[in-house]
Amino acid sequence: MKSMEKIVSLAKRRGFLFQSSEIYGGVQGFWDYGPLGVELKRNLKEAWWHDMIAGHNELKLQEGAPSQFEMVGLDCTIIMHPQVWKCSGHYDLFHDHMVDCRESKKRYRFDQVRGRWVEYQDKKIFVATLADIEQELEEVRRRGMKFFKLRNKDADKLAIGDESLTIDRLDSTQSVLAPDAKTLDTLTEPREFNLMFKTTLGALGGEDDATFLRPETAQGIFVNFKNVLDSSRVKVPFGIGQVGKSFRNEITPRNFTFRSREFEQMEIEFFCHPDHSSQWYRYWRDRRLAWYTKLGLASDSLIMREHHVEELAHYSIGTADIEYAFPFLPEGEYGELEGIAHRGDFDLRSHMEGKLDPNTPKGQRMEVELGENGKPKHRGSGKDLTYRDELTNEKFVPHVIEPSAGADRGVLAFLCEAFTEDEAPDDKGNLQTRTVMKLHPRLAPVKAAVFPLVKKDGMPEVAKEIYGELKQKFTTFYDEKGAVGRRYRRQDEAGTPFCITVDTDSLQDKTVTIRDRDTLEQWRVKIDDVADEISDRINQS
RNA sequence: GCGGGUGUAGUUCAAUGGUAGAACAUCAGCUUCCCAAGCUGAAUACGAGGGUUCGAUUCCCUUCACCCGCUCCA
């Protein structure tokens, strides 16, 4: 049975993850990677970078891909021009005013609670509800009747206003009957919840110099779209990948590192012709899922969840989440590792013309969202971000497929998946519980450990020699302390896939044993061949 | 942000209004020729701040963090 407590305790004990600033009591939502954790996370990011970007062969048609395509990388800053976040939509979206209900203890977005004025015998109250527009009138009537303790036959004595209003349009919330309340005036003053970390440019900066730490890496790619086009000779279809830190001031960080306030993303923005975008969407969705299974996430713990049509942004043909059955979630529930979103031309056009209106009805062309003065609410850059196909001479704004993965969530999922308790006999033949981190060899923080079987007879000297050689090629650990069985177990907990042991025979015939973490099998290999043997096994698996 | 629970060594747990104990892990030494063996020794803890008290790890308050439920979740 995998329990989160055991995984968290092992992560701390063995140096995978620590709470940030722990000696001062910790800070909610921030986590540090220890000596083993940093290697694991680096390996995951490098596997991603290699498999998606650096190792991509644009000359070869990839399995399942509609055509050949190119991939390049990018590394943008965390702080960008404030206008970036206004045009991206994050400023409006992450800048919520929230109200709390003192009675029901629920919290609502100030601009989302709506309702109508209701009057009965000179008493006027505002009945608020979260019901759908169609059911709103009925819901307001029902709750209004209940509030005034009216029977059905008196229904017509209740006067209901014609206009549906959101509560941010009211002068005060004094007369509001909150959606889950039975008494009036239970809502607090609206409070600002800024999900973006605010900071100030310049030492003397005032409010005008306020900007934000990026809440996602994607926007850096969009605003550099033209730079990449002009400098790298890439042609549509192509993708730009980036790995980097992002920041969100989550209200409730929870579940170990799953919802952290500082986290690392591995994102691709893939640009393609609008006519081919749904094919590319399917390609990336399937390819990204396969990537996780290949690195060892069990397919029965992993699901692809396609968003329902109602959940989709109006511009999107599809969005799918790759989700993992984390042990801290209830049975049957999954947590998001990666989202693959079809984003249409929303981002490039917003940075070009000004933020588009996300509430445009489906099927209509999106137009720039206007402010109260009739001018664009957030002005775009005015730069031309269209693409011209040199062969057909066609000009278009590419559509975007965005596979956006969380590196820390990936690490957490692989840690959870790897955590295994099995039974192995000790030297007396009694079964003992063995904790093994069955990490994929590519991800394992330490690839090999070298031991002299005993600390005498020249074995340590030979072992140290081998260690020095292996360490040049991959992360290797040397240990000569205590019984060899104990050393094996220590490496099992760290997830080290291979242990190399120097014994008496090694001194004669220049061979050593290699022991496999998962099968416990051992075989002999010439000392000169050890490095190649292990490299092969890391890469072929 | 609300309600409930929990904070003691690296980890998992004890005990106590008056010197805080164990197991495992760690370190040193001996032993040890393949899966947490044994022996000897060592180091290490009451989340933080305040109050009550002669004296607080223990009681009270505040705060921080973690867990569970609600809420939130681009």
Side-chain angles (χ1 to χ4, degrees), chain A residues 189-290:
Chain A
E189 286 298 299
R191 283 174 291 186
E192 188 180 318
F193 275 77
N194 199 338
L195 265 3
M196 288 196 287
F197 280 93
K198 203 178 208 171
T199 187
T200 316
L201 296 179
L204 293 172
E207 193 57 23
D208 290 349
D209 301 313
T211 187
F212 303 93
L213 306 190
R214 65 181 176 197
E216 63 170 34
T217 55
Q219 298 305 321
I221 298 180
F222 295 126
V223 301
N224 275 297
F225 175 71
K226 199 169 152 48
N227 280 337
V228 172
L229 270 186
D230 292 347
S231 60
S232 68
R233 298 175 60 215
V234 286
K235 291 193 175 71
V236 167
F238 72 96
I240 305 179
Q242 171 164 227
V243 176
K245 286 278 180 82
S246 292
F247 302 81
R248 284 183 205 179
N249 221 340
E250 298 287 354
I251 297 168
T252 316
R254 201 63 76 87
N255 290 331
F256 206 22
T257 61
F258 183 76
R259 181 165 295 135
S260 298
R261 287 172 161 158
E262 174 173 343
F263 57 100
E264 201 152 8
Q265 293 183 297
M266 308 186 290
E267 289 197 306
I268 296 168
E269 303 302 326
F270 189 82
F271 301 93
C272 60
H273 191 283
D275 292 350
H276 304 145
S277 60
S278 36
Q279 292 174 53
W280 283 111
Y281 166 67
R282 285 194 294 275
Y283 167 72
W284 279 108
R285 194 194 53 186
D286 299 344
R287 181 171 174 206
R288 290 302 306 153
L289 181 69

Side-chain angles (χ1 to χ4, degrees), chain A residues 164-209:
Chain A
S164 165
L165 294 167
T166 51
I167 56 169
D168 58 339
R169 309 268 294 278
L170 307 177
D171 294 333
S172 104
T173 56
Q174 262 184 8
S175 310
V176 171
L177 179 66
D180 300 284
K182 293 191 178 70
T183 53
L184 296 183
D185 196 18
T186 58
L187 295 178
T188 60
E189 286 298 299
R191 283 174 291 186
E192 188 180 318
F193 275 77
N194 199 338
L195 265 3
M196 288 196 287
F197 280 93
K198 203 178 208 171
T199 187
T200 316
L201 296 179
L204 293 172
E207 193 57 23
D208 290 349
D209 301 313

Side-chain angles (χ1 to χ4, degrees), chain A residues 396-409:
Chain A
F396 59 91
V397 181
H399 276 199
V400 169
I401 312 300
E402 176 187 84
S404 167
D408 307 271
R409 287 182 176 189

Side-chain angles (χ1 to χ4, degrees), chain A residues 14-178:
Chain A
R14 294 309 309 256
F16 283 98
L17 280 158
F18 307 125
Q19 198 173 10
S20 169
S21 319
E22 197 191 77
I23 60 167
Y24 287 108
V27 214
Q28 212 183 13
F30 294 91
W31 299 90
D32 295 336
Y33 287 82
L36 288 182
V38 66
E39 296 291 343
L40 172 59
K41 189 174 174 186
R42 268 166 48 93
N43 290 341
L44 183 70
K45 290 189 286 182
E46 274 170 20
W48 184 91
W49 189 263
H50 173 268
D51 295 351
M52 297 299 127
I53 316 288
H56 173 72
N57 183 349
E58 74 281 2
L59 304 177
K60 194 179 150 203
L61 181 63
Q62 304 294 317
E63 195 187 328
S67 71
Q68 277 116 308
F69 60 95
E70 296 177 77
M71 295 295 294
V72 292
L74 196 63
D75 184 23
C76 310
T77 57
I78 286 167
I79 291 174
M80 292 191 264
H81 194 290
Q83 198 66 16
V84 169
W85 306 113
K86 295 191 170 162
C87 287
S88 70
H90 288 93
Y91 183 82
D92 293 341
L93 198 67
F94 279 9
H95 229 79
D96 297 335
H97 285 264
M98 309 289 286
V99 288
D100 289 299
C101 175
R102 296 187 194 93
E103 184 188 315
S104 68
K105 306 295 179 200
K106 296 197 181 222
R107 172 176 296 153
Y108 313 98
R109 263 177 67 175
F110 193 44
D111 58 359
Q112 273 187 350
V113 181
R114 49 192 310 127
R116 294 172 189 238
W117 285 103
V118 169
E119 199 172 347
Y120 174 69
Q121 291 184 342
D122 295 337
K123 183 153 191 199
K124 207 174 170 190
I125 66 165
F126 188 88
V127 179
T129 165
L130 295 174
D132 295 339
I133 301 283
E134 306 89 68
Q135 284 132 36
E136 182 188 290
L137 185 60
E138 202 34 56
E139 182 68 13
V140 166
R141 186 188 307 282
R142 193 182 64 76
R143 297 192 55 231
M145 303 260 295
K146 198 167 180 188
F147 181 81
F148 289 114
K149 300 194 173 66
L150 291 178
R151 294 165 183 241
N152 281 339
K153 66 181 170 65
D154 298 323
D156 52 350
K157 290 182 184 164
L158 195 71
I160 299 179
D162 293 332
E163 196 184 3
S164 165
L165 294 167
T166 51
I167 56 169
D168 58 339
R169 309 268 294 278
L170 307 177
D171 294 333
S172 104
T173 56
Q174 262 184 8
S175 310
V176 171
L177 179 66

